[in-house]
Amino acid sequence: GDSVTQMEGPVTLSEEAFLTINCTYTATGYPSLFWYVQYPGEGLQLLLKATKADDKGSNKGFEATYRKETTSFHLEKGSVQVSDSAVYFCALYGNKLVFGAGTILRVKS
Amino acid sequence: NAGVMQNPRHLVRRRGQEARLRCSPMKGHSHVYWYRQLPEEGLKFMVYLQKENIIDESGMPKERFSAEFPKEGPSILRIQQVVRGDSAAYFCASSPSWMAGNTIYFGEGSWLTVV
């Protein structure tokens, strides 16, 4: 069945550092791909999405490009802030939304 | 336009009691999904429902768990005879249709604690 694999965390960075969180997927067909963010004690918020190959999703300085050839959807941000500290989930939607295990990001000032 | 509404936000139950979690989808959304997040883990799919129909329940435990989405009213996730291992955050999500590419919106979750 469909699955998503994310890099394990926690990822600890200093403020203004460059962020990459790797995400690869296995799916039949052509799923839509998402990144969700979860702040402590809260629900999930959609961060960005891409619905077809080579699409780039972007929001709040975060970007991810749908790479069909490498079945990847890596999340990047050029300069992280302390307020970006959260858990980030990569997900795909084929006939249901399937999540990766999540990656904890901690940003130090 | 209200988002996905879940209640209660926090629920404490003793072992053996029943827990009922409610989810009202966004206006105009007829598809509801339930996910469970165990402590320090990711989100696991439980069930996908449309009005009066269960579409996919492949993630539901075989016993004690049930879900419904009636023609009128919210979707209900029901856990009978709760055990400590049921302690988790339960998230509901909704979408306007089954089409891939539609964004699925999440509620803020219901945190169940079994004591």
Side-chain angles (χ1 to χ4, degrees):
Chain A
D2 296 351
S3 67
V4 176
T5 301
Q6 287 181 237
M7 66 186 287
E8 287 191 22
V11 173
T12 303
L13 297 173
S14 298
E15 210 164 20
E16 299 183 2
F18 185 86
L19 168 71
T20 301
I21 300 179
N22 289 338
C23 170
T24 57
Y25 67 90
T26 303
T28 53
Y30 301 97
S32 294
L33 301 175
F34 303 85
W35 278 98
Y36 283 84
V37 58
Q38 184 182 30
Y39 298 101
E42 298 185 11
L44 276 78
Q45 301 173 27
L46 177 67
L47 182 59
L48 53 85
K49 70 173 184 177
T51 58
K52 62 182 188 297
D54 300 325
D55 266 4
K56 177 186 281 189
S58 61
N59 185 27
K60 299 180 182 179
F62 291 89
E63 292 183 340
T65 301
Y66 190 144
R67 300 285 187 202
K68 184 168 175 289
E69 63 277 12
T70 54
T71 62
S72 64
F73 193 54
H74 304 322
L75 182 68
E76 296 182 336
K77 186 174 186 183
S79 176
V80 293
Q81 306 300 312
V82 172
S83 57
D84 293 328
S85 298
V87 183
Y88 291 82
F89 292 94
C90 184
L92 69 82
Y93 187 84
N95 57 7
K96 57 177 176 271
L97 196 59
V98 175
F99 286 89
T103 302
I104 297 172
L105 172 64
R106 298 187 179 127
V107 181
K108 303 180 298 182
S109 59
Chain B
N1 186 17
V4 178
M5 304 300 292
Q6 289 189 246
N7 68 83
R9 290 294 312 278
H10 298 276
L11 181 65
V12 179
R13 285 288 178 265
R14 297 186 184 279
R15 281 179 294 170
Q17 290 184 319
E18 178 180 285
R20 282 191 183 222
L21 309 177
R22 287 176 291 279
C23 170
S24 296
M26 285 184 71
K27 188 176 181 180
H29 287 193
S30 58
H31 297 243
V32 165
Y33 313 78
W34 284 94
Y35 288 81
R36 177 165 64 174
Q37 185 178 31
L38 293 168
E40 306 299 323
E41 293 188 17
L43 284 92
K44 301 295 185 186
F45 169 79
M46 298 182 76
V47 63
Y48 165 32
L49 310 108
Q50 294 177 31
K51 289 278 188 183
E52 301 182 282
N53 282 308
I54 296 174
I55 306 303
D56 182 348
E57 56 181 349
S58 58
M60 287 281 270
K62 293 288 184 275
E63 298 177 346
R64 303 188 296 108
F65 284 72
S66 62
E68 63 176 8
F69 188 18
K71 187 176 180 182
E72 301 291 336
S75 175
I76 307 285
L77 179 67
R78 183 182 177 207
I79 311 171
Q80 295 178 287
Q81 299 175 327
V82 295
V83 300
R84 287 226 171 97
D86 297 332
S87 296
Y90 292 84
F91 290 95
C92 172
S94 73
S95 69
S97 77
W98 59 271
M99 294 291 289
N102 270 325
T103 300
I104 297 177
Y105 293 88
F106 278 82
E108 294 191 333
S110 291
W111 269 259
L112 171 65
T113 302
V114 179
V115 297

